[in-house]
Amino acid sequence: MGMSFGKYVAYRTVNAIIILFLAVLLMSALFTKLATIQLESQVQSTVVQEARTYAQQHGIPPTKEWLDQRTKYWEHYYGLDQPYWKRTWRYTVDTFFFKWGQSIVPVFGTHDIKQQIWSALLRTILLFTTAEILVIIIGLGLGVKSAQKPGSLLDRTISILAMLTTSLPMWWLGMLMILLFVVYLGWLPITLYSQVEVNGVANLLKKMSLPVLTIVINLFGGWAWTTRNIMIGTMQEDFIMVARAKGVPERKVIYGHALKASAPPIITMIIFGLIGSLSGAIITEIVFNWPGMGRLYWQALQMNAVKTMMALNYMFAILTVFSMVLADILYAYLDPRVRIGAAASS
């Protein structure tokens, strides 16, 4: 006997929280070591600076006892005098409950990690999620049309485009776009992509145009091809043949029967596509000088901002786990057999 939908949601949510906490614990074990190296260097530089100030004020260098005392003070301030496992556990709990604090070096113009990620996330949604929505609309539309007439000119064209566009690296395609539309044709000013920040809504939309076009060209073929294959398999089912034999209009057969039956895998694609877009793309953002999640991670790597990198990894883990849980819940809603299987396995 299967569990109720509410119990299934609770079951999957609890599992996801446990998995997420274990993932944070493993990441903390690594990043605590990196943070220790960085903090020890910070303590040394701070004590050296204090020693210089002391020498200027008193006319003599500080004693070894004074240096040891200041070193111990800063080690206690940063928690370096605590055991490794205790620091790892505290780091895990703080990260899990979004207590990210301040980064030692400023990233995106601020030390506050929440502000760094929030500003980057909004810009990523503006660019990548917008582009992903366009990809989904175009890809689904072309995929459904292609499945209606397998072997047609449209079907063959989509097959070729899917193989061609998905094989091109997005960052390389972006560089070609800049070369064509900015350098050769001059339709957009080079200043839009030579600097990170732009002023005005019009300039922002202009700067978005090329990366959005690049993402759509790179991804829509794969979406159309996958949707086409899913739909063709469904179109061969007996209930579709019966519906057509009964004289049901073709539009209703496609959108009311076939597309509805193909909904679970398509919904999974949409979920992973939309939520995955929130992670950004490091190289593509660097090519277009777009200050999103990918560029934030790249700058954190360059500046050795360990806390920012840990917070970003945690965000990426949340997005991944949330995508999987949401897909499972929607599957269970659309197909009650999933809940029966979950009840049996548990």
Side-chain angles (χ1 to χ4, degrees), residues 143-299:
V144 171
K145 289 293 184 183
S146 179
Q148 287 182 261
K149 298 178 179 179
S152 63
L153 177 61
L154 175 63
D155 186 33
R156 294 195 301 270
T157 302
I158 289 176
S159 300
I160 295 173
L161 286 176
M163 289 186 290
L164 178 63
T165 57
T166 55
S167 63
L168 299 176
M170 189 181 295
W171 58 268
W172 183 78
L173 182 60
M175 294 177 67
L176 288 183
M177 289 291 182
I178 293 177
L179 190 64
L180 175 62
F181 292 103
V182 177
V183 178
Y184 288 158
L185 297 178
W187 291 359
L188 295 170
I190 190 64
T191 54
L192 289 177
Y193 302 103
S194 61
Q195 56 190 6
V196 177
E197 299 288 344
V198 294
N199 297 320
V201 176
N203 286 331
L204 180 62
L205 293 176
K206 288 179 182 178
K207 185 169 184 174
M208 284 178 58
S209 60
L210 280 190
V212 167
L213 181 61
T214 300
I215 296 170
V216 171
I217 291 175
N218 188 251
L219 299 180
F220 87 95
W223 266 85
W225 177 248
T226 305
T227 303
R228 177 253 189 205
N229 289 340
I230 294 172
M231 288 288 294
I232 283 182
T234 306
M235 298 282 285
Q236 307 302 319
E237 297 289 340
D238 292 339
F239 70 94
I240 298 295
M241 304 297 182
V242 171
R244 283 174 168 166
K246 288 182 177 180
V248 177
E250 185 66 15
R251 183 178 181 83
K252 188 174 182 180
V253 170
I254 298 297
Y255 296 99
H257 294 75
L259 190 58
K260 184 178 180 180
S262 304
I266 292 176
I267 287 176
T268 302
M269 290 168 53
I270 293 174
I271 291 173
F272 279 95
L274 289 176
I275 298 181
S277 68
L278 302 180
S279 301
I282 294 179
I283 302 180
T284 303
E285 291 181 23
I286 292 174
V287 168
F288 290 105
N289 259 332
W290 187 263
M293 294 285 280
R295 189 179 183 88
L296 175 61
Y297 199 92
W298 173 249
Q299 288 195 7

